[in-house]
Amino acid sequence: TTTKPEEGQEEEEEDDDDDMNEGNTVIGLLGGGQLGRMLCEAANPLGIDIAILDEHNAPAKQAHNTNRHVVGSFKDPGCIKELAARSDYLSVEIEHVDTEVLEDIEKNGVPVEINGEVVTHRPPIHPSWRTLRLIQDKYLQKEHFKSSGKTIPIAEQIAIESGDAALDSLKKAGKQFGFPFMLKARKGSYDGRGNFKVDSEDDFAEAIKALGTLPLYAEKWAPFVKELAVMVIRTEDSDGKLKNCVAYPAVETIHEDSICTKVFMPPRDVSEDICEKARKLATEVISTLWGRGVFAVEMFLLEDASLMINEVAPRPHNSGHYTIEAVPYMSQYKAQLHAVLDLPVPDKLIPRVQSSIMLNILGGAKPDSHHHLSGLARSTYDDDMDVYLHLYNKESKPSRKIGHITLTGFCSVQELEAKAKPFIDLVDQIRL
Ligand code: ATP
Ligand code: MG
Ligand code: MG
């Protein structure tokens, strides 16, 4: 089966049957949102071709011209096989993909026709479908860390029964953890959309109403003082053995209503010692997984200065956007390309600025609610603070991530925060 080229593409390019990316290595990417878009922005100057599987004109497709894009869903097995047939490697910008078909492609390959002959094509998949499948289920993900043989602290958790048994199961969680505790969807969650904070037994009915149709688990409340995140590059030998896990600096992430709004590098009021521990822990966590690529490790910093793992994302991540400008020789996107293609990556990742703040631009009540903020980014020049605007060309909807602003400084993060106040005030206003 062949998927048709993008509508209109044939007409536009009728005199150009040529392959504009001829000879370039092709990474097939499942998903074409802003992460894929920024991956394409990193790939373009490197002469790497990215074939995107997503809907027509998805944000990533707008950023990279190729005749290999596939129109369809990254959950559709037929589309994923079509993408595989067009690609030298496969990777993802989102973990919620069909891993059965990825496993099938790794084991059995896909047929492709070369010079009239059908051969079996097996593009390497990074990170491994094993990692994607494990991470898709947040409960199993953490059970894995618990039984990995490494010291990886996680919140106590129990699986919640579905259907009529859910209520008893929630009662058990309340007894075991006390209140509040967090009820979470095991799969498919992002931006906190599958989470429900349970404050008392009185919330059980509402919690079941909100999430009851999904496989669930309960997590003990983590009384954190801060949330930290560390991006890690994972590389492997050609025989699939772990080569290295290299950590970026630790950052502080601020979540409001469970959605990441701000990122501070370095974390404010956190010792270098704790930042080093966070990086060490992140590399331990990622060493237990499979495949090459960049990974995000989200964690909680508790009152007693200990760290606890919240969850892992097997791809570039919102908390790593700052690396585009702060670690320009190896941003998280370039690192993803290098890791997937098994190109060299540095064994130290040292930022070229002293501090950085990333502010998410979330859609507001009106389609133009963010215009003041983007206008300020366009008009601010400051000797001590550089301002970088990234818009994803997504339709604005309330609380949707439609862009971000990175600020970098040659000053302390506190001084940068003071300079950034007009930006931060506008970011906060959009949410009101
Ligand atoms: P993401 O967009 O990062 O994938 P998600 O939907 O998977 O988000 P989580 O990371 O599980 O959601 O939780 C979102 C936020 O909710 C966390 O960043 C944290 O602020 C809060 N949170 C999650 N688990 C707990 C917990 N056990 N105790 C206290 N707060 C929690
Ligand atoms: Mg998550
Ligand atoms: Mg999270």
Side-chain angles (χ1 to χ4, degrees):
T1 58
T2 47
T3 303
K4 277 209 204 130
E6 303 250 300
E7 241 179 285
Q9 189 173 37
E10 264 174 353
E11 291 88 270
E12 277 165 33
E13 290 164 8
E14 62 197 355
D15 57 348
D16 186 5
D17 277 335
D18 303 347
D19 184 346
M20 64 195 89
N21 288 287
E22 176 133 40
N24 288 349
T25 303
V26 186
I27 299 178
L29 192 71
L30 281 70
Q34 66 265 26
L35 299 173
R37 180 179 173 100
M38 288 182 269
L39 190 77
C40 287
E41 288 166 356
N44 287 335
L46 301 176
I48 297 167
D49 189 12
I50 310 280
I52 306 282
L53 167 56
D54 208 329
E55 51 190 42
H56 179 62
N57 255 342
K61 289 185 177 178
Q62 302 164 18
H64 179 72
N65 203 356
T66 180
N67 42 24
R68 292 188 179 81
H69 291 321
V70 179
V71 180
S73 164
F74 45 77
K75 295 186 177 178
D76 180 320
C79 292
I80 296 174
K81 285 192 172 177
E82 176 56 36
L83 184 76
R86 299 176 183 199
S87 305
D88 301 311
Y89 294 81
L90 284 180
S91 191
V92 298
E93 68 134 28
I94 180 168
E95 54 276 29
H96 308 302
V97 300
D98 183 328
T99 60
E100 304 296 324
V101 65
L102 292 178
E103 180 180 3
D104 179 42
I105 292 167
E106 180 178 285
K107 292 184 170 150
N108 305 312
V110 288
V112 295
E113 208 185 291
I114 298 176
N115 301 330
E117 208 186 310
V118 176
V119 299
T120 300
H121 175 61
R122 266 197 198 82
I125 301 164
H126 289 286
S128 163
W129 55 266
R130 275 189 194 85
T131 294
L132 299 175
R133 190 174 294 165
L134 177 70
I135 281 178
Q136 279 176 357
D137 187 324
K138 286 158 74 172
Y139 174 76
L140 291 183
Q141 179 194 138
K142 279 177 276 192
E143 288 298 302
H144 164 81
F145 296 144
K146 212 158 73 182
S147 62
S148 66
K150 313 238 170 189
T151 312
I152 300 175
I154 57 159
E156 273 181 67
Q157 56 175 11
I158 53 172
I160 296 292
E161 306 283 332
S162 51
D164 292 343
L167 189 59
D168 278 344
S169 200
L170 284 176
K171 283 184 183 157
K172 200 177 140 207
K175 270 220 181 77
Q176 193 174 323
F177 302 150
F179 295 96
F181 68 83
M182 194 67 111
L183 182 65
K184 293 189 177 184
R186 288 170 65 148
K187 291 183 168 187
S189 165
Y190 69 99
D191 293 344
R193 278 163 212 235
N195 290 0
F196 193 104
K197 183 180 173 208
V198 182
D199 283 311
S200 73
E201 294 218 1
D202 296 344
D203 286 347
F204 287 171
E206 210 189 319
I208 290 173
K209 203 172 142 206
L211 298 175
T213 56
L214 306 168
L216 300 174
Y217 76 105
E219 234 178 65
K220 191 169 172 174
W221 191 255
F224 58 81
V225 290
K226 272 188 198 287
E227 293 189 79
L228 304 180
V230 178
M231 296 300 307
V232 174
I233 313 176
R234 191 182 195 283
T235 55
E236 288 182 343
D237 285 344
S238 51
D239 59 2
K241 259 219 184 115
L242 174 65
K243 196 155 67 181
N244 209 356
C245 285
V246 192
Y248 283 92
V251 298
E252 172 187 355
T253 58
I254 305 293
H255 292 79
E256 291 165 277
D257 301 327
S258 283
I259 188 165
C260 174
T261 54
K262 304 174 186 106
V263 172
F264 292 85
M265 191 285 300
R268 297 163 302 171
D269 309 312
V270 177
S271 71
E272 269 180 41
D273 181 50
I274 289 173
C275 289
E276 268 320 295
K277 281 193 179 122
R279 298 174 73 213
K280 180 91 201 333
L281 177 60
T283 58
E284 290 275 292
V285 167
I286 299 310
S287 73
T288 71
L289 300 173
W290 308 274
R292 308 191 298 255
V294 296
F295 294 78
V297 183
E298 298 178 6
M299 47 185 112
F300 301 128
L301 174 61
L302 305 179
E303 210 136 50
D304 64 357
S306 67
L307 294 164
M308 181 181 267
I309 297 301
N310 174 26
E311 63 164 344
V312 166
R315 50 168 171 78
H317 190 254
N318 201 169
S319 68
H321 290 350
Y322 79 97
T323 60
I324 297 174
E325 288 89 10
V327 196
Y329 60 95
M330 190 46 78
S331 72
Q332 65 165 348
Y333 298 101
K334 187 173 170 191
Q336 176 72 348
L337 299 167
H338 272 232
V340 168
L341 300 180
D342 201 16
L343 297 169
V345 299
D347 52 18
K348 286 197 294 283
L349 293 161
I350 298 172
R352 294 301 188 227
V353 294
Q354 206 178 323
S355 54
S356 171
I357 298 174
M358 192 284 313
L359 303 170
N360 270 337
I361 304 176
L362 302 179
K366 288 184 274 157
D368 63 355
S369 296
H370 61 285
H371 284 195
H372 278 321
L373 180 58
S374 46
L376 183 66
R378 287 190 182 102
S379 58
T380 302
Y381 297 97
D382 186 311
D383 286 346
D384 303 313
M385 175 176 78
D386 292 336
V387 180
Y388 300 94
L389 175 64
H390 296 257
L391 292 172
Y392 309 146
N393 209 16
K394 281 162 78 169
E395 193 196 335
S396 176
K397 288 187 188 157
S399 287
R400 192 179 204 201
K401 290 173 181 168
I402 55 174
H404 76 267
I405 295 169
T406 297
L407 308 164
T408 61
F410 290 93
C411 53
S412 72
V413 70
Q414 282 81 6
E415 284 166 310
L416 186 64
E417 185 181 6
K419 280 207 166 288
K421 187 161 186 306
F423 289 89
I424 293 172
D425 287 347
L426 281 179
V427 164
D428 292 341
Q429 264 173 38
I430 294 175
R431 296 180 53 70
L432 294 178

